């Protein structure tokens, strides 16, 4: 079991492991890791015990407005995207920040989403702004931290990748260490 958690696994490797052990190969990398870890620890295949979340219909009954409420299991359908492109800007894309805003703010309005989007744009313009990289993106975090280390000033992307390849073969954390 320790061998599993001590090493870096690609999502495709985790999916293959799940298939080979009669577990669902779908889900995020973190879900697949947890599923595999439980299997290796207990032998349980952790088949879904709870009913799956029911997605809200992609077609809404009423026209979308700034007063439209965010509902549980909100979906960023084409209709929703078109609304926000008109309300905010034609080149708008739903960032991870905004997608998470929808998930975490059930009951708030689309007006609140527009406000949050504008606040995020302001934050991104700050010199100290650094986009958060989710925990499952270990490679991206490593590369960012490699280049943030003053000891690596002047080093190339190839140097960063070589350091990553070396680290991921070692047992333990895949977090960048100076």
């Amino acid at each position: 079991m320790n061998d599993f958690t001590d090493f870096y696994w690609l999502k495709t490797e985790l999916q293959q492991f799940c298939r080979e052990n009669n577990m669902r190969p779908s889900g995020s990398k973190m879900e697949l890791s947890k599923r595999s870890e439980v299997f290796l620890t207990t032998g349980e295949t952790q088949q879904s015990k709870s009913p799956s979340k029911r997605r809200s219909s992609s077609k809404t009954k009423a026209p979308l407005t700034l007063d439209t409420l965010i509902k549980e299991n909100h979906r960023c359908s084409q209709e929703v995207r078109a609304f926000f492109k008109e309300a905010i800007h034609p080149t708008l894309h739903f960032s991870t920040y905004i997608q998470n805003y929808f998930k975490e703010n059930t009951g708030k309005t689309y007006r609140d989403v527009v406000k949050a989007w504008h606040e995020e744009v302001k934050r991104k313009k700050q010199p100290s702004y650094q986009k958060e990289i989710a925990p499952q993106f270990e490679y991206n975090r490593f590369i960012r931290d490699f280049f943030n280390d003053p000891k690596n000033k002047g080093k190339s992307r190839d140097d960063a990748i070589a350091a990553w390849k070396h680290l991921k073969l070692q047992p333990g954390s895949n977090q960048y260490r100076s």
Side-chain angles (χ1 to χ4, degrees):
M1 172 53 197
N2 283 343
D3 285 345
F4 174 77
T5 57
D6 278 347
F7 291 94
Y8 177 80
W9 301 98
L10 296 171
K11 183 175 181 179
T12 55
E13 293 170 321
L14 295 169
Q15 289 171 319
Q16 184 61 35
F17 179 81
C18 287
R19 281 186 199 96
E20 290 171 359
N21 291 285
N22 299 317
M23 294 182 286
R24 282 184 309 109
S26 60
S28 71
K29 184 176 180 184
M30 293 182 84
E31 291 169 331
L32 293 168
S33 290
K34 185 66 179 164
R35 197 174 300 144
S36 299
E37 188 177 338
V38 167
F39 175 76
L40 290 169
T41 305
T42 67
E44 292 180 26
T45 57
Q46 255 198 341
Q47 298 301 334
S48 181
K49 292 179 180 120
S50 59
S52 63
K53 291 181 184 175
R54 189 174 165 193
R55 291 190 164 237
S56 59
S57 172
S58 61
K59 298 287 184 202
T60 56
K61 292 171 178 51
L64 300 176
T65 70
L66 290 174
D67 295 321
T68 298
L69 294 177
I70 300 170
K71 296 180 181 166
E72 192 174 349
N73 300 323
H74 180 274
R75 243 181 106 230
C76 293
S77 66
Q78 291 303 320
E79 181 184 16
V80 170
R81 288 175 189 275
F83 172 81
F84 282 105
K85 282 184 177 201
E86 188 174 315
I88 297 174
H89 195 272
T91 61
L92 167 91
H93 70 280
F94 284 124
S95 63
T96 304
Y97 174 80
I98 291 298
Q99 290 174 349
N100 287 336
Y101 187 90
F102 278 116
K103 289 178 192 172
E104 297 164 5
N105 289 284
T106 301
K108 289 196 175 182
T109 67
Y110 280 15
R111 184 180 321 280
D112 297 317
V113 175
V114 171
K115 181 180 176 193
W117 187 87
H118 286 294
E119 289 170 356
E120 178 68 356
V121 167
K122 283 182 190 173
R123 264 193 302 279
K124 286 180 176 181
K125 290 180 181 176
Q126 299 298 317
S128 61
Y129 176 79
Q130 189 169 20
K131 182 178 178 184
E132 184 177 335
I133 301 174
Q136 69 267 32
F137 301 113
E138 295 170 284
Y139 170 81
N140 296 9
R141 286 175 159 222
F142 179 91
I143 297 297
R144 181 199 56 202
D145 295 345
F146 179 92
F147 284 116
N148 282 344
D149 186 341
K151 292 180 183 177
N152 295 324
K153 186 174 172 99
K155 290 192 177 179
S156 70
R157 185 155 191 81
D158 287 342
D159 294 328
I161 292 169
W164 165 253
K165 286 180 178 178
H166 174 75
L167 179 69
K168 76 175 187 168
L169 296 175
Q170 308 304 312
S173 171
N174 292 313
Q175 188 173 0
Y176 174 77
R177 296 180 292 271
S178 181

